[in-house]
Amino acid sequence: MSTGNQGPISVTNSSINHSAVECTESLRGVQDALYVLSGKWKLPIIITLTGQPRRFKELQRQIAGITAKVLSKELKELEMNEFVVRNVYATTPVTIEYELTEYSQSLNTVIEALRNWGIQHRERIIGQHKTV
Amino acid sequence: MSTGNQGPISVTNSSINHSAVECTESLRGVQDALYVLSGKWKLPIIITLTGQPRRFKELQRQIAGITAKVLSKELKELEMNEFVVRNVYATTPVTIEYELTEYSQSLNTVIEALRNWGIQHRERIIGQHKTV
DNA sequence: GTTAGCAGTATCCCAAAGGATACCAGTATC
DNA sequence: GATACTGGTATCCTTTGGGATACTGCTAAC
């Protein structure tokens, strides 16, 4: 698939999911979702694009530490997954703007879930270290 | 933190989150959550442990393709994050069982969210390829 | 005409993730 | 007494992700 996710990992567990097929589909679904958000810079790029479109160099300036090579690669992946569109305007010289798609909004619920769980988890783990 | 997640990436976007602090905390939360599920084998291990505890070699046999080294490392990370406990039984020779914790259940909602989104996404992307 | 900005690409390099293989001490079986 | 199983560890190797740096063709400003 165009997300670049690899072939299936086989784990057979018929006790929670009712069939091996369902189990495999679930696993693949979770792994696909994790895959599209993987990498150090996907989230920072999405956050930076939230609200307003940005040009390439603008993005690079906003996101401290990212190199042009990596930004370029990540933007292509985000485009492939239809989170971002690349708009070319025929100004001289051409202006290129990256913009979040409507579809990218569909990530919101999963990002919210990750966020809430992550914040809670950090507190839990750090809290325990303090008591030791 | 014990998840091994790295230092913060700075992205300042005051337009969606109301303060830079909130934005950073959200980003870190999401990245922490992604981090604890990262790696090729975490999910397969969790799935295999769902329902029944398993011994080390049992796990290795169930999860096709994982090596002892990687299984051992992943189990340690899962233990650190309190998803798994390692039980040692004083049989001769000792029996060691890995078991999901109650806390690991807290992942269920986020895994569900990832799963649903992931399955939907795969259909969307593959569907488009067919029409081309 | 030199400098600076744009939107990247190309090349080289390094560290981390993960695979392959060998090995260990202890016990139980044939 | 050789073989096999347990719960791993150690070593070596390849692949991947990502950083650093240089460069490109084009245009606008000084």
Side-chain angles (χ1 to χ4, degrees):
Chain A
M1 108 184 255
S2 76
T3 58
N5 203 348
Q6 269 63 37
I9 289 177
S10 140
V11 174
T12 306
N13 183 342
S14 47
S15 65
I16 180 171
N17 278 291
H18 316 307
S19 74
V21 177
E22 271 178 53
C23 180
T24 301
E25 190 192 11
S26 294
L27 174 58
R28 198 176 50 185
V30 178
Q31 287 177 327
D32 284 344
L34 289 175
Y35 185 84
V36 303
L37 294 176
S38 71
K40 190 170 170 182
W41 300 107
K42 296 250 171 59
L43 257 351
I45 292 171
I46 290 173
I47 291 172
T48 306
L49 288 177
T50 301
Q52 67 282 90
R54 301 277 196 176
R55 303 171 62 177
F56 188 90
K57 288 285 185 189
E58 245 180 314
L59 277 172
Q60 206 187 338
R61 264 180 262 114
Q62 287 281 320
I63 304 171
I66 196 169
T67 64
K69 186 187 89 173
V70 173
L71 177 55
S72 169
K73 193 191 127 223
E74 297 283 55
L75 284 171
K76 276 174 191 155
E77 285 187 42
L78 291 171
E79 253 193 282
M80 280 191 355
N81 284 306
E82 300 178 27
F83 299 156
V84 162
V85 280
R86 181 178 184 268
N87 294 316
V88 183
Y89 299 105
T91 53
T92 50
V94 287
T95 304
I96 292 173
E97 267 188 353
Y98 293 91
E99 187 180 3
L100 288 186
T101 62
E102 194 127 333
Y103 178 57
S104 74
Q105 303 287 317
S106 70
L107 281 171
N108 288 353
T109 62
V110 33
I111 287 180
E112 258 300 286
L114 288 166
R115 185 191 91 98
N116 293 336
W117 189 90
I119 290 175
Q120 165 276 133
H121 183 64
R122 171 174 289 265
E123 265 157 33
R124 177 186 174 102
I125 299 295
I126 289 182
Q128 298 211 345
H129 284 188
K130 277 185 185 147
T131 62
V132 172
Chain B
M1 102 183 261
S2 78
T3 56
N5 202 345
Q6 269 63 39
I9 288 176
S10 141
V11 173
T12 307
N13 183 344
S14 47
S15 65
I16 180 170
N17 277 292
H18 316 306
S19 73
V21 177
E22 269 177 57
C23 180
T24 301
E25 190 192 10
S26 295
L27 174 58
R28 198 177 50 186
V30 178
Q31 287 177 328
D32 284 344
L34 289 175
Y35 185 83
V36 302
L37 295 176
S38 72
K40 191 171 172 184
W41 301 105
K42 296 251 170 59
L43 257 351
I45 292 171
I46 290 173
I47 292 173
T48 306
L49 287 177
T50 301
Q52 66 280 93
R54 300 276 196 179
R55 301 171 64 177
F56 188 89
K57 288 285 185 189
E58 245 181 313
L59 277 171
Q60 206 186 340
R61 264 180 261 114
Q62 286 283 319
I63 304 170
I66 196 168
T67 63
K69 186 187 90 174
V70 173
L71 177 56
S72 168
K73 193 191 127 222
E74 297 283 56
L75 284 171
K76 276 173 191 157
E77 285 185 44
L78 291 172
E79 252 193 283
M80 280 193 352
N81 284 307
E82 301 178 26
F83 298 156
V84 162
V85 279
R86 181 178 184 270
N87 295 315
V88 183
Y89 299 105
T91 53
T92 52
V94 287
T95 304
I96 292 173
E97 266 188 357
Y98 292 92
E99 186 180 4
L100 288 185
T101 61
E102 193 125 334
Y103 179 58
S104 74
Q105 303 288 316
S106 71
L107 280 171
N108 288 353
T109 61
V110 34
I111 287 180
E112 258 301 286
L114 288 165
R115 184 191 92 99
N116 293 334
W117 188 91
I119 290 174
Q120 165 276 135
H121 183 64
R122 171 173 290 262
E123 265 157 33
R124 177 186 174 103
I125 298 295
I126 288 180
Q128 297 211 346
H129 284 188
K130 277 185 185 149
T131 62
V132 171

